[in-house]
Amino acid sequence: MRWYEFACCAASTLALYCLAAYAAAKPRTEQEAEKLKKGYFPWMQGVHIMLDYFVDQEEDFEEEEMNFAAYYTSEDEMVERFHFLDEKASHYLTGLPDESFHRKIKQGLYAIYLSDGDVQNNLEMKHAAKRLIGLGGASTKFFYYNSWVFRRRNKK
């Protein structure tokens, strides 16, 4: 993992929300809590915040702010690294309680971020987004198109 990818992992609050939700539902053992934490940190959280940086690239450039997605030297490298992060996230989600729910969260992250107007209005980003949507499979495509339609409908 590259340093800027790890910085993304550390910036996400997904694991905190996950652990809080499970703790509120019923007491968990230390082993269960550790498994849930490892299911989200660092890989799932890395996917989460790297998607956020991907979407914010143009805005961050205009405002002269740092953007970790800009550290990739090419679209191909970025997509390759997303594949790597996604594979690791999928691996560590395996065996979590309510595993399919956690996988849907990951698929939903791709759909929500990649259907954002900043992505849809930028041809280069839209091209990369189409490549990234495939990481989540059919469910991500379903969520993506629904998010896209919802955003367009609410824009009017």
Side-chain angles (χ1 to χ4, degrees):
M1 179 178 285
R2 298 174 183 175
W3 72 266
Y4 47 92
E5 293 168 342
F6 185 78
C8 290
C9 301
S12 175
T13 55
L14 277 178
L16 293 174
Y17 291 129
C18 177
L19 288 167
Y22 274 96
K26 74 175 193 173
R28 297 287 170 173
T29 66
E30 192 173 317
Q31 291 81 7
E32 288 173 315
E34 183 65 23
K35 188 168 190 165
L36 286 164
K37 183 194 71 123
K38 284 184 178 178
Y40 276 78
F41 184 81
W43 308 107
M44 179 80 148
Q45 293 195 170
V47 168
H48 171 216
I49 299 300
M50 193 53 82
L51 281 166
D52 187 62
Y53 276 106
F54 173 75
V55 170
D56 290 343
Q57 287 178 88
E58 193 172 290
E59 179 184 331
D60 289 346
F61 178 77
E62 290 170 4
E63 295 178 9
E64 297 181 7
E65 291 185 13
M66 183 177 66
N67 184 295
F68 290 128
Y71 279 83
Y72 296 118
T73 58
S74 67
E75 178 183 309
D76 286 339
E77 180 190 19
M78 182 191 67
V79 170
E80 178 184 309
R81 295 304 296 174
F82 263 103
H83 275 274
F84 173 73
L85 294 169
D86 185 80
E87 285 177 8
K88 291 289 193 177
S90 292
H91 172 77
Y92 284 97
L93 292 176
T94 301
L96 289 185
D98 310 305
E99 179 181 330
S100 64
F101 174 74
H102 299 289
R103 291 188 184 281
K104 292 286 186 233
I105 290 173
K106 183 169 68 76
Q107 294 164 341
L109 287 171
Y110 283 108
I112 290 166
Y113 278 101
L114 298 176
S115 66
D116 186 272
D118 289 343
V119 174
Q120 296 305 308
N121 296 327
N122 180 310
L123 290 177
E124 286 181 31
M125 290 177 69
K126 193 172 183 178
H127 180 265
K130 286 182 180 180
R131 295 175 67 190
L132 295 173
I133 290 166
L135 292 173
S139 292
T140 296
K141 289 177 184 175
F142 174 78
F143 295 142
Y144 168 80
Y145 289 117
N146 279 295
S147 295
W148 181 78
V149 167
F150 179 79
R151 288 173 196 253
R152 287 194 57 138
R153 181 175 273 177
N154 286 332
K155 197 176 194 181
K156 294 177 182 179

